Amino acid sequence: MALKHKTPMLEELEKGPWPSFVADIRRMAARKPMCEDLLGLLELSYEQKEGHWKHGGIVGVFGYGGGVIGRYCDRPDLFPNVAHFHTLRVNQPASKFYSTEQLRKICDMWEEKGSGLTNMHGSTGDMVLLGTTTDQLEPVFYHLTHELGMDLGGSGSNLRTPSCCIGKARCEWSCLDTQEITYDLTMTYQDELHRPMFPYKFKFKTSGCPNDCVAAIARADCSIIGTWRDKIRIDQEAVRAYAAGELVPNGGSHGTAKRALDIQKEVVDLCPTGCMEWDGKTLKIWDEDCTRCMHCINVMPRALRPGQDTGATILFGAKAPILEGAQLSSVVIPFMKMEPPYDEFKELIEKVWDWWMENGKNRERLGELIQRFGMKAFLEAIEVQPDPRMIKTPRYNPYIFYDPADVPGGWEHDPKAFRERHHA
Amino acid sequence: MPFDPNDIMKDRITDIGPPKYDNFFPPYIKENYGKWKYHEILEPGVLVHVAETGAEVYTVRTGAPRLMSVDYIREVCEIADKHCGGYVRWTTRNNIEFMVDDKSKLQPLIDDLRSRGNWFPMGGTGASVTNIVHTQGWVHCHTPAIDASGIVKSVMDELFDYFGSHKLPAQVRISLACCLNMCGAVHCSDIAILGVHRKPPFVEHDRVQNVCEIPLVIAACPTAAIKPKKVGDRKSVEINQNRCMFCGNCYTMCPALPIADGDGDGIALWVGGKVSNSRTAPKFSKLAVPYIPNEPPRWPTVVQTIKKIVEVYASDARRYERIGEWIERIGWERFFEKTGLEFRHEHIDDYRLAMTTWRTTTQFKF
Ligand code: HEM
Ligand code: HEM
Ligand code: HEM
Ligand code: SF4
Ligand code: SF4
Ligand code: SF4
Ligand code: SF4
């Protein structure tokens, strides 16, 4: 159909094999003036190479301090239908399984009350409903809670929407019930999620194993990553079948053609700890030296499986570069059993929050506070003993702090006695 | 009880959280939860998982543009109703997964997906280039230096062949963020596309006092380039342009410090990050190309540069080597030589722990 605005540049993006967001928005534009103006506005941005949304915008629903991102276009004179274009974050079901019945209900509601455009999904995990007017926010929220059994997700200085990998629902390596943990934390901390009370944002992410398919170590202030403490389970028959070319290596990730797996070269030699041995018949793993990197298991999924004494490694502090530079999460609890109701974990988290809420500066992420106060202060506050698993290497500068209580005689000097021993 | 606009606190429901995850599990997922034994990729985009009970589930993964209309979602529902008992899911990289519990249902599903034009390309499994995790861009955000959706579409069109095949040494994760806030997955990706500015913000002195909290603005600057300043009788701020590296964080805090600039803004490319612990520890992405101009609607220079990096990696790296592992083996001097990318001043770190990134050994290649 002909659009109200000319969009020659965007039309270029209707070509090519990858699904085109332009073609998709355009078919909505036939029914939705909001979509028509969005395309017009985007074309203007393409011409000028500058965005056209005004700064910020504080809107929301009563009772909550977050969940809605306000947006106003800066050329309402040209594009009145996107003068307001607010986003709602809707908390997704953990690992994003849906029934079509539920999805259709959401679509009908959003076509009626919003632009009909979404992001499936936001990078934190939320289902993002993209674009509506201020007067529709309360009706959308009412419909979500009453008709769809769905709530808003997080935004602002609060607990953001937790998310997880697919875990035990469809992965043989998961050492955790990732969905159960995510759902439990989301429900336990609804107040912290909806009503900003922290110095800044805080995210949980849970992956079932060290492959980390939800990128928890990079994208969550608290990263919960599944692992095991006992031995990798080996099926020697299956190992020999890989060597003989009867099973496809890496589950077929490098092509599905059968080929003999060179176990020495592709598994043993790539093991980061050199803790494996292969004599052509039997694969031996010295599990006490294995760091559970997953490589051998990834390459031979039918022969090797994680152990059965499973739990989580808990890491803290990942954040994007603003302000003090980017951080990945660091190991704080090498191993914790994770079973409902997760009391041990929740006690830990509440100590972390207490410390951060008391000491964190405005807009200071947990990772930055740990840097500013030091890992020692953090560990003391959450009552965790130091452990060599927390570090890559001991420090190499000698600028070491001591508590006067740990030094015989404390920090008081007797200058007279000193001078009696050492004449000035 | 319909919504009553005159009494909006009436019947208010709060704090119910998301629907419980297993409400939407297909029956075969519920039955075999935690009982999976192994999986295999049957062809690009198609997985089978086998449970200890012998049950099988076949998954077809298809690419998606993430930004999608309700019509798109309805078409997903139509397919899921027809083949998958009314269930479907999305992945952590915003692909769509259709599942069936019997091999006989697989081919009809695949045929159906293939019959629907460009909307449901199969792939994203194994050693492929899968979907690009990306952000809002000019579609919705106020702080971007680049668009998101348009660049993603342009890159995926060019690398499309790698999405539906397994011909790389390992999986290649590409991500995009339209400004340094990085609302995505970019800093730890094999290849990352980042929107950057190159001019300091300008100060609208007549607005600062009315729309900004000045102490917050000053605290927002990583390099302490901002000072308070009186302009006439109005409180405002002054920016030391020599200390500003154009991060835009002060604009995030203060609308009176606009920074977007059509001529100055553009793209930096980063390489070598990963999040998985497989073989080597997770790695940050590092700067490969400091600046490429915005070239809507197809961003040809960015697209060709990424393609070049992927091709050189594909021909040179060993099996299982992620881009970052490959570069660490051959050395950065070889990376720049093999890719033909220019090495410039901007590549040398000058922020705080910069010294740890310089070469403190005589080991290098000529
Ligand atoms: C200024 C307007 C901004 C907009 C429109 C915006 C938009 C978004 C959206 C839509 C998401 C996905 C949310 C979800 O899935 O629930 C997101 C995630 C994110 N945002 Fe922003 N954002 C903004 C500002 C910021 C700022 C100021 C920062 C940091 C300083 C930031 C850092 C992030 C990060 C790190 C994520 C990813 C979180 C994850 O993967 O868990 N954003 N943003
Ligand atoms: C060496 C430079 C970099 C380092 C050390 C770094 C590190 C990090 C870390 C630790 C996070 C965690 C994010 C959080 O949740 O707060 C992060 C997030 C992010 N980074 Fe980087 N990063 C770097 C460069 C980049 C580049 C070049 C890009 C884009 C091209 C980028 C894009 C992102 C995005 C999109 C996120 C949000 C991830 C998320 O939370 O979902 N980063 N970065
Ligand atoms: C049974 C095997 C596996 C299953 C079921 C699985 C499942 C998944 C799924 C569903 C996704 C989202 C994919 C997408 O959106 O395209 C994903 C992403 C990912 N997977 Fe896996 N995966 C498996 C094996 C692996 C292996 C072997 C590795 C690493 C060597 C790995 C590392 C990752 C990473 C890093 C991501 C991306 C996370 C992100 O950037 O968002 N996974 N995985
Ligand atoms: S993180 Fe591990 S358990 Fe979770 S989906 Fe990925 S491979 Fe499976
Ligand atoms: S999991 Fe990693 S460290 Fe452990 S034996 Fe396998 S390859 Fe080696
Ligand atoms: S990366 Fe920056 S510009 Fe892009 S959506 Fe996030 S805050 Fe906005
Ligand atoms: S753009 Fe960044 S570096 Fe420049 S003044 Fe603003 S906060 Fe400081």
Side-chain angles (χ1 to χ4, degrees), chain A residues 18 24 46 50 55 62 64 71 85 87 100 104 111 138 142 172 180 195 251 266 323-324 362, chain B residues 1 11-12 15 21 39 41 68-69 71 74 81 88 97 140 147 153 169 216 220 251 262 320 352:
Chain A
W18 187 250
D24 186 31
Y46 274 44
E50 288 170 8
H55 187 285
F62 278 100
Y64 286 1
R71 272 291 168 275
F85 198 70
T87 283
T100 53
R104 285 181 198 280
E111 178 160 358
E138 289 291 351
Y142 188 94
E172 66 270 29
E180 173 59 30
R195 295 165 199 89
E266 294 183 43
L323 198 59
E324 300 286 335
N362 182 35
Chain B
M1 32 171 193
D11 303 325
R12 176 163 294 259
D15 299 280
Y21 52 92
H39 75 281
I41 304 177
M68 58 173 66
S69 72
D71 281 355
R74 287 180 181 128
D81 281 343
V88 63
E97 290 186 338
H140 199 243
D147 188 34
K153 163 79 175 145
L216 287 186
Y251 177 63
Y320 307 116
R352 293 194 191 161

Side-chain angles (χ1 to χ4, degrees), chain A residues 228 232 267 270-276 285-287 289-297 304, chain B residues 277 279:
Chain A
W228 64 94
I232 292 179
V267 183
L270 294 181
C271 169
T273 61
C275 69
M276 313 180 86
I285 300 178
W286 278 268
D287 288 272
D289 288 332
C290 164
T291 49
R292 303 168 313 287
C293 79
M294 295 296 295
H295 175 72
C296 58
I297 299 175
L304 303 180
Chain B
N277 290 276
R279 297 170 308 283

Side-chain angles (χ1 to χ4, degrees), chain B residues 267-279:
Chain B
I267 288 171
L269 291 181
W270 304 65
V271 296
K274 74 192 267 281
V275 295
S276 106
N277 290 276
S278 194
R279 297 170 308 283

